[in-house]
Amino acid sequence: MMMSISMASLPLIFLLIFYEVSSADWGVSYSNSQICALKNSSVTIYCTYTYPTGHQIKKVFWAKNSVKVGEEYTNLSEDPEYSQRLQYLGDKQQNCTIRLSHVTQKDSQNYYFRFITELDKWIGKPGVSLTVTDLQVESPETVKEGDSVSLTCKSSCTLTDRATFIWYRNSQPLTERRDRNNQLLLQSVRREDAGRYSCGVQEHNLTSPAVELNVTFEPSSVSVSIISPSGEIVEGDSVTLSCSSHSNPPPEMSWFKEGMFVGSGRIYSISKISSDNSGEYKCKSNNEHGEKYSEAVTLNVMYPPRVFSVSISPSGEIVEGDSVTLNCSSDSNPPAEISWIKGGRILGSGRIYSISKISSDHSGEYKCKSRNKHGEKYSDAVMLNVTYAPRNAVVSISPSGVIVEGDSVTLSCSSDSNPPAEISWFKGEMFVGSERNYNMSKISSDHSGEYKCKSRNKHGEKNSDVVILNIMYPPRNVSVSINGSGVIVEGDSVTLICSSDSNPPALDFSWFKGRMIVGSGRIYNISKISSDHSGEYKCKSRNKHGETYSDALTLCVMSVRWVLWFKAFGVGVAVGGVAFGLGGASVYT
């Protein structure tokens, strides 16, 4: 005869061997003396009983535990804790099978069948021991990724029937894990295998409490993100970098800028960022199983132009005709737009400003303006000093008007050259002095003539045009001369000539005999001279600067008879103060 225990709606079938409790013809047989059932299941205890012929069964019931001698057993059907769960499936002849539903751990007791006849009563000891168990998962708390792990679904007693176990992860059944073995073997554990594991038995609604399986693994998927700001980073901003990593246990994080350690922790913050903070950043995620670096993230810090200068090529002396390049170096991000300025006027744009065949007109102060959307800045000015040979050499005279003998006169040589030229002065072809100014104090007519200056530097030389110094002075060296020679005889024609040195030439001449003016003009003519014309004559020469008288000249007019007489006697005659020898005697009349 067999006895079964039902669980939930579909009974678990226990293959049990009946054992018999009897005395002569009295006895009770149970399918098994030990039953292990799951909590909340239904248990069927198969049972038969016998009694002697001639007895009539009056009462049958099930009781639990033993009672003291003299006390009666309690009918479980009348016990409030059992009355709604206990179902008697037997009869009053020989079948004493019962079903107990929704068993709990309080139901773990010894149970006995008792029957009473009109003559006697019987208790089927030692009865059936019922143990109610729940399920527990036995598992290590932690397993390393790649290792193998075994989870065991345990009960406090061995289930009477061979059960089919079901495993759950995070309350979801692992359909591929149905086995009569109560162990779950995870080979080469993956991180996805981590979770809360529980177990149950097929066709039964009891599930064990979940147990957490913690799969540890080295860091992976390490990455850096810029939390703030989300857009362009400008110098002075506060910047926060975040390192994310998939690892178990949680990693320690370190920050590196271009290989150099700069900080630790999941967050790396930079307050008031500067261009020095630009560069590639990455984080290292490290735990007990290994370490991994993120890909680099570049911080590109924007800032206005600063620290820039202008350089000149060639770096040495610049000579007219050279090709010159100005270079504007600017530190800015983004790169700046460059403008070139000379004396407030914009000349061009671009980092390079080139001048081919430079001239002196290009000399001056240059600077560049560097500008981006974050600001602008001017460079310090640089001087382009273009050197060249002298040109436009010009002589100027001071005073600028008429120069009169006795004046002080300065000749100035102006020359356009770089470097400044050495000056030499020439009168005609004769060197007369150096320096830019040539001074003559108390000038005289001897200084009159052609003057020029020569301007000379290492790049060449240039002569000025000639200027003429024309010195004005009053008449001088005034003298009177008589045309012809010999004795002046009455009736002759005599011409007196007044000579003088003056500048401008004297045009105003006056003639005097004694103190009496007798004529004008440079030439004074006397036709048919008579003795009345005898006397002292002089001339006055005059220009706008003055006048001068000649020395007196004496005219001695001889009568004809006296001339004849003197000739006859060989006597000399004086003419105009000059003695002519006639026969060796000199006589003034």
Side-chain angles (χ1 to χ4, degrees):
M1 183 176 293
M2 301 295 294
M3 179 178 73
S4 67
I5 300 175
S6 66
M7 297 184 181
S9 58
L10 184 63
L12 290 173
I13 304 301
F14 298 95
L15 299 176
L16 305 173
I17 299 175
F18 282 89
Y19 76 96
E20 185 174 353
V21 180
S22 63
S23 177
D25 292 329
W26 297 87
V28 177
S29 296
Y30 300 106
S31 59
N32 204 326
S33 63
Q34 301 283 337
I35 298 176
C36 178
L38 289 175
K39 179 181 174 182
N40 206 35
S41 64
S42 293
V43 178
T44 300
I45 303 176
Y46 290 94
C47 167
T48 60
Y49 61 98
T50 59
Y51 49 90
T53 303
H55 287 261
Q56 185 176 358
I57 299 300
K58 295 293 185 180
K59 186 177 181 179
V60 293
F61 62 90
W62 282 79
K64 67 178 180 177
N65 297 331
S66 298
V67 295
K68 295 179 181 179
V69 177
E71 292 182 358
E72 183 54 70
Y73 289 90
T74 302
N75 185 350
L76 292 182
S77 297
E78 298 172 356
D79 187 333
E81 291 186 4
Y82 289 87
S83 61
Q84 299 298 318
R85 298 185 294 127
L86 183 66
Q87 182 182 5
Y88 183 68
L89 302 178
D91 51 29
K92 291 185 177 181
Q93 296 177 0
Q94 61 181 10
N95 187 356
C96 54
T97 300
I98 61 170
R99 179 180 291 131
L100 182 59
S101 303
H102 304 296
V103 294
T104 67
Q105 288 173 324
K106 288 174 62 178
D107 295 328
S108 295
Q109 306 285 344
N110 288 324
Y111 293 90
Y112 314 98
F113 176 68
R114 186 169 180 73
F115 62 93
I116 300 172
T117 67
E118 79 282 5
L119 299 174
D120 208 342
K121 52 188 175 183
W122 187 263
I123 183 73
K125 287 189 176 183
V128 176
S129 175
L130 174 62
T131 302
V132 179
T133 183
D134 58 7
L135 299 175
Q136 298 288 336
V137 174
E138 187 178 77
S139 167
E141 291 183 1
T142 301
V143 61
K144 184 177 181 294
E145 187 176 45
D147 290 350
S148 296
V149 65
S150 177
L151 286 73
T152 303
C153 187
K154 299 191 71 176
S155 57
S156 59
C157 57
T158 302
L159 295 176
T160 304
D161 195 11
R162 293 180 61 192
T164 299
F165 290 91
I166 304 174
W167 288 93
Y168 301 86
R169 183 175 66 233
N170 299 328
S171 302
Q172 298 299 314
L174 300 175
T175 54
E176 74 278 12
R177 303 291 186 179
R178 294 175 182 267
D179 199 339
R180 292 187 181 276
N181 191 329
N182 66 338
Q183 287 190 327
L184 173 63
L185 179 62
L186 300 176
Q187 293 183 328
S188 188
V189 172
R190 302 169 301 164
R191 64 192 66 181
E192 292 82 2
D193 291 327
R196 296 179 61 78
Y197 282 80
S198 57
C199 63
V201 175
Q202 190 173 10
E203 298 178 352
H204 185 61
N205 60 5
L206 178 65
T207 304
S208 72
V211 171
E212 185 76 32
L213 179 62
N214 186 25
V215 179
T216 61
F217 48 91
E218 67 181 13
S220 63
S221 304
V222 182
S223 64
V224 174
S225 59
I226 302 173
I227 296 177
S228 66
S230 58
E232 186 177 64
I233 299 172
V234 180
E235 195 169 46
D237 287 348
S238 291
V239 175
T240 301
L241 304 181
S242 175
C243 183
S244 62
S245 169
H246 191 198
S247 66
N248 191 22
E252 295 178 352
M253 293 183 173
S254 304
W255 289 92
F256 297 86
K257 179 191 175 191
E258 294 164 357
M260 183 177 68
F261 173 79
V262 292
S264 59
R266 192 177 68 84
I267 300 295
Y268 180 62
S269 296
I270 308 170
S271 61
K272 294 184 179 178
I273 199 166
S274 71
S275 59
D276 294 337
N277 299 118
S278 291
E280 290 189 342
Y281 289 77
K282 54 185 171 182
C283 68
K284 180 178 76 173
S285 180
N286 175 70
N287 68 9
E288 62 195 66
H289 301 300
E291 66 182 32
K292 189 172 180 65
Y293 285 86
S294 70
E295 295 293 330
V297 167
T298 299
L299 281 190
N300 188 21
V301 182
M302 304 296 171
Y303 51 94
R306 64 187 181 193
V307 189
F308 70 108
S309 61
V310 175
S311 60
I312 302 173
S313 177
S315 59
E317 184 180 56
I318 298 171
V319 181
E320 195 167 46
D322 287 349
S323 291
V324 174
T325 299
L326 303 182
N327 189 320
C328 184
S329 61
S330 171
D331 177 19
S332 65
N333 193 17
E337 297 176 353
I338 305 296
S339 301
W340 289 94
I341 298 165
K342 179 188 177 188
R345 184 169 63 92
I346 296 177
L347 301 175
S349 60
R351 192 175 63 85
I352 303 295
Y353 180 63
S354 297
I355 307 170
S356 60
K357 294 184 179 179
I358 199 166
S359 71
S360 59
D361 294 337
H362 294 106
S363 291
E365 288 189 342
Y366 289 76
K367 57 185 174 181
C368 64
K369 180 176 76 172
S370 180
R371 182 176 184 274
N372 66 12
K373 63 181 177 178
H374 302 293
E376 66 182 30
K377 189 174 179 66
Y378 287 86
S379 71
D380 292 334
V382 295
M383 175 63 74
L384 267 191
N385 185 26
V386 182
T387 60
Y388 49 94
R391 60 192 178 194
N392 303 326
V394 176
V395 174
S396 61
I397 304 171
S398 176
S400 60
V402 174
I403 300 172
V404 180
E405 194 171 45
D407 286 348
S408 290
V409 175
T410 299
L411 302 182
S412 295
C413 184
S414 62
S415 170
D416 179 17
S417 67
N418 191 19
E422 296 177 353
I423 305 297
S424 301
W425 289 96
F426 296 86
K427 179 185 180 188
E429 298 301 323
M430 184 178 66
F431 172 79
V432 293
S434 58
E435 304 298 331
R436 191 175 71 84
N437 293 323
Y438 179 56
N439 297 308
M440 292 172 276
S441 61
K442 295 183 180 180
I443 199 166
S444 71
S445 59
D446 293 339
H447 292 104
S448 292
E450 292 184 343
Y451 289 80
K452 63 183 176 184
C453 68
K454 180 172 73 176
S455 179
R456 183 175 184 272
N457 67 10
K458 62 181 177 180
H459 301 298
E461 63 182 37
K462 178 84 172 172
N463 288 323
S464 71
D465 292 335
V466 170
V467 296
I468 297 174
L469 275 189
N470 187 21
I471 312 301
M472 301 298 171
Y473 50 92
R476 62 188 176 188
N477 302 324
V478 181
S479 62
V480 175
S481 63
I482 303 173
N483 69 334
S485 60
V487 176
I488 301 170
V489 181
E490 282 184 329
D492 286 346
S493 292
V494 175
T495 300
L496 302 180
I497 300 170
C498 185
S499 302
S500 90
D501 176 19
S502 67
N503 194 17
L507 299 177
D508 185 3
F509 294 92
S510 301
W511 289 93
F512 296 86
K513 179 186 177 188
R515 292 182 179 275
M516 184 177 65
I517 187 167
V518 292
S520 62
R522 194 171 68 84
I523 295 175
Y524 180 58
N525 292 306
I526 306 171
S527 62
K528 296 182 179 181
I529 198 169
S530 68
S531 59
D532 293 337
H533 290 103
S534 293
E536 289 186 344
Y537 286 80
K538 57 185 176 181
C539 70
K540 181 178 74 174
S541 178
R542 183 174 182 273
N543 66 11
K544 61 181 178 179
H545 301 293
E547 62 185 25
T548 302
Y549 288 86
S550 69
D551 291 335
L553 174 70
T554 301
L555 276 185
C556 184
V557 180
M558 300 289 289
S559 66
V560 174
R561 66 170 188 258
W562 281 108
V563 171
L564 293 175
W565 185 87
F566 282 126
K567 287 182 177 179
F569 290 97
V571 178
V573 181
V575 181
V578 179
F580 296 93
L582 296 177
S586 297
V587 178
Y588 287 92
T589 60

